Amino acid sequence: MQWRHFFSTAGLLVGTLFFALSLTPSLIPREGVVQGVISGASLAAGYGVGVLLVWLWHFFELPSVSAKTARLLRWLAAGFCVLLALSFLWQATQWQNSVRALMGLETVSGVRPLTIALVAGLVFLLFLLLGKLFKLLFSFVFGKLAHRVPRRIAGILGLFAAFWLFWAVFNDVLLTAALHQVDGIYQRLDARIVPDMKAPEGSLKAGGPDSLLRWQDMGHQGRRYLALGPTAKDIAEVTGEAKDPIRVYAGLNAADAPDERARLALEELKRVGGFERSVLLLITPTGTGWVDPGAINSVEYLFAGDIASVAAQYSYLPSPIALMTEDAYGRETAQALFRSIYGYWRTLPRATRPKLYLFGLSLGALNSDRSFDFYDILDDPFHGALWTGPPFRSDTWRQVTAHRDEGSPAWLPEFRGGAMVRFGNHFGGYDKGSVPWGRFRIAYLQHGSDPIVFFDPAAAWRRPAWMAEPRAQDVSPDLQWYPIVTMLQLAMDMHAGIAPMGYGHSYAPADYVRAWQRLTEPEGWDEARIERLNEKLLKWNPK
């Protein structure tokens, strides 16, 4: 079979352009294999656009070129594609190093162009074969119906049949089988009890001998959260006199229903004296049940251990999978825990009850935002929330960012002078505000290079607002917007990008210290003490 019968010249031309543009930098540094996957998907997407353009050309019966001219154009297109691909592959390493330099990473070299080209070619061929299979299926259905119904109706029915079969195979067979395997793996990981991580012996410890929540029901991340926090002795090294922080965690196996787990968490929190501390933190964990130790350790130090925190697990799957398969369950669990804790907290005397704050990272930030309705707390609001790396689907984040004060950038917005909502990152931000920060406060901690925050499907057809000047300091000036390609780059950054601590979706303890200090304003913390705390948290190694 001649290549011109298997490949579309216009498809390869547009596809190679997309391939070349995909090599330009995005938010997160990419290894060769990851870049190859992005470039292969971009090549396939561009190929599809080129094929569609040819189809539209013929559909509108526009004039065609002669066979001789078509042959010349194919050779010219082939030469252009090779030169374009080689030119951009040659610069790929340099572009990636420009992002790595912003994040303090070592530069890379070597066989990246070869790895990228090989992986991209394999990914493209996979998509191309799937496209050919789709076309064969459509042609088969069309051929069977063309003699029985009008041709246009046969074409529509053929498309529906092909789409339905492809979706059924992908969703009901491949995706279901993959999720079943992933579920089994993470279920076993969640049930695993590390031998050197023993249940607490104190009767006033969650998971201890008198606890309402059994150690074996906590889940792997819950046990880590309870066992690896700082003690009063650890905290006293920085603050002087200190208390043992109180932590409560209701694992997924503690009870069958979210409301029951929330009730157990409340009763356990009351049993261990959580409402007698000066601060109470209501945490919504990530999809795996993980609570970022940098987030909780930092605020426990800031309050010298005079703080209690409570969390409830809703999944043991990674956040992207949990969002896809258990979105409603995560929201229900967060709402149940909030109703339980806030409902009891508001019955306590205002003069003696603890200050109540919410916290969530990533998917936890999304579900924490969904856990309450502003109308339900207007008469007696809690004190505030810290939401870190909020996914782009977070409603409050989207509304505030969209209606930010004129002149403030999308990656660090100012909203209504900073009276209620403020944004910050490792370059600052929380002190920006033309009016005082009120009693009820929401703080967002987000890096300008975090793709979880700044991914948007609309990037396929419009330039994201965060790409406007001035840009965040951790975003490459070489990053440009290209239709479809930029969306694919950001999608891969979101799912496969790994940034160093303090960049992307990886938040450093010092980021949390700054955010909590500005949000809660604990007493007695000058810059020298903050620096000592940051050094302590950076070297944190629980025994």
Side-chain angles (χ1 to χ4, degrees):
M1 178 184 293
Q2 294 184 351
W3 73 276
R4 70 174 182 273
H5 295 144
F6 191 79
F7 294 104
S8 163
T9 302
L12 286 177
L13 193 60
V14 180
T16 304
L17 177 61
F18 277 32
F19 168 86
L21 296 177
S22 73
L23 297 169
T24 60
S26 57
L27 289 177
I28 303 296
R30 300 189 291 264
E31 300 298 331
V33 173
V34 174
Q35 179 61 67
V37 173
I38 298 174
S39 297
S42 299
L43 176 57
Y47 186 89
V49 170
V51 171
L52 177 63
L53 291 175
V54 171
W55 181 85
L56 289 173
W57 185 278
H58 292 304
F59 179 81
F60 288 110
E61 299 181 352
L62 297 173
S64 300
V65 298
S66 65
K68 182 178 180 181
T69 303
R71 187 162 51 250
L72 177 61
L73 289 175
R74 279 195 295 271
W75 282 108
L76 290 174
F80 175 78
C81 288
V82 170
L83 291 175
L84 182 65
L86 290 177
S87 172
F88 276 69
L89 279 170
W90 182 262
Q91 301 175 77
T93 300
Q94 175 186 339
W95 280 323
Q96 288 305 305
N97 283 335
S98 72
V99 182
R100 297 177 69 87
L102 286 174
M103 299 184 178
L105 295 173
E106 294 183 1
T107 59
V108 295
S109 59
V111 296
R112 283 177 53 86
L114 182 60
T115 302
I116 293 169
L118 180 60
V119 174
L122 293 174
V123 171
F124 169 69
L125 287 176
L126 175 62
F127 278 109
L128 181 64
L129 290 174
L130 289 174
K132 295 293 184 182
L133 183 60
F134 181 89
K135 183 178 179 181
L136 287 174
L137 181 60
F138 164 76
S139 299
F140 174 78
V141 176
F142 177 79
K144 292 293 185 181
L145 296 176
H147 301 296
R148 295 177 175 83
V149 298
R151 291 179 61 84
R152 293 188 184 275
I153 295 178
I156 293 174
L157 292 175
L159 282 175
F160 272 115
F163 275 118
W164 176 83
L165 184 59
F166 263 67
W167 175 251
V169 170
F170 174 77
N171 189 60
D172 297 336
V173 179
L174 298 178
L175 186 59
T176 300
L179 288 176
H180 179 74
Q181 292 296 322
V182 170
D183 183 83
I185 292 171
Y186 280 94
Q187 186 179 44
R188 290 190 292 274
L189 289 174
D190 187 61
R192 180 171 58 97
I193 298 180
V194 179
D196 60 354
M197 194 179 294
K198 298 180 181 180
E201 297 178 356
S203 60
L204 291 180
K205 292 286 188 179
D210 297 330
S211 176
L212 302 175
L213 298 165
R214 300 191 306 167
W215 184 251
Q216 57 266 37
D217 292 336
M218 297 290 182
H220 176 65
Q221 296 296 350
R223 288 186 286 270
R224 288 181 56 84
Y225 163 70
L226 294 177
L228 301 182
T231 64
K233 181 180 178 181
D234 297 320
I235 297 173
E237 293 176 4
V238 177
T239 65
E241 186 178 351
K243 297 179 179 180
D244 281 321
I246 292 175
R247 295 187 178 188
V248 172
Y249 191 96
L252 196 59
N253 295 320
D256 292 333
D259 286 337
E260 182 62 17
R261 288 197 294 277
R263 186 191 68 79
L264 285 172
L266 171 63
E267 294 302 320
E268 181 71 357
L269 192 62
K270 290 159 63 176
R271 186 187 75 84
V272 298
F275 289 96
E276 299 167 15
R277 296 300 173 96
S278 64
V279 176
L280 175 58
L281 188 59
L282 200 166
I283 300 172
T284 305
T286 64
T288 60
W290 181 63
V291 177
D292 189 345
I296 181 65
N297 293 351
S298 59
V299 71
E300 287 176 340
Y301 270 89
L302 286 171
F303 285 95
D306 188 18
I307 181 173
S309 58
V310 57
Q313 184 184 16
Y314 53 89
S315 170
Y316 46 73
L317 297 171
S319 290
I321 301 177
L323 182 62
M324 180 173 60
T325 61
E326 299 176 340
D327 182 33
Y329 201 67
R331 181 174 63 250
E332 290 170 8
T333 300
Q335 290 172 344
L337 186 64
F338 178 83
R339 285 195 303 267
S340 179
I341 302 301
Y342 172 77
Y344 178 77
W345 173 83
R346 67 179 298 168
T347 67
L348 301 175
R350 296 194 182 196
T352 58
R353 69 190 182 188
K355 291 184 177 181
L356 178 60
Y357 292 93
L358 273 57
F359 170 73
L361 163 67
S362 193
L363 184 57
L366 172 64
N367 285 322
S368 181
D369 184 11
R370 295 169 163 180
S371 67
F372 69 96
D373 191 313
F374 278 107
Y375 295 106
D376 295 333
I377 66 168
L378 283 177
D379 61 331
D380 193 7
F382 55 92
H383 292 77
L386 172 59
W387 290 325
T388 303
F392 65 96
R393 289 177 52 182
S394 303
D395 292 336
T396 303
W397 178 88
R398 291 173 66 90
Q399 292 171 8
V400 169
T401 302
H403 297 92
R404 63 189 180 277
D405 294 346
E406 186 177 356
S408 64
W411 51 271
L412 198 64
E414 295 176 38
F415 179 71
R416 297 185 180 179
M420 185 175 75
V421 183
R422 295 193 181 186
F423 292 76
N425 54 34
H426 51 299
F427 298 109
Y430 299 112
D431 296 327
K432 292 183 177 180
S434 57
V435 298
W437 205 351
R439 177 180 176 276
F440 179 79
R441 301 177 173 186
I442 294 177
Y444 283 103
L445 171 56
Q446 59 184 45
H447 295 147
S449 55
D450 189 343
I452 301 292
V453 177
F454 293 111
F455 172 81
D456 188 348
W461 62 85
R462 71 181 179 209
R463 187 172 185 257
W466 54 266
M467 292 182 66
E469 298 293 341
R471 289 187 176 181
Q473 294 94 320
D474 50 341
V475 175
S476 172
D478 294 328
L479 191 157
Q480 302 295 327
W481 175 73
Y482 306 106
I484 300 177
V485 174
T486 296
M487 187 271 291
L488 293 174
Q489 289 178 314
L490 296 176
M492 187 60 74
D493 284 347
M494 183 170 59
H495 290 99
I498 300 177
M501 186 71 72
Y503 298 92
H505 200 56
S506 181
Y507 290 87
D511 296 336
Y512 283 114
V513 169
R514 183 183 296 106
W516 283 122
Q517 187 201 15
R518 298 297 193 274
L519 177 68
T520 62
E521 296 185 338
E523 296 180 357
W525 288 92
D526 56 23
E527 288 303 318
R529 252 182 124 193
I530 289 290
E531 186 59 32
R532 289 201 303 272
L533 174 55
N534 287 336
E535 292 176 1
K536 175 76 172 179
L537 292 172
L538 189 62
K539 300 174 182 177
W540 174 252
N541 184 23
K543 300 179 178 59

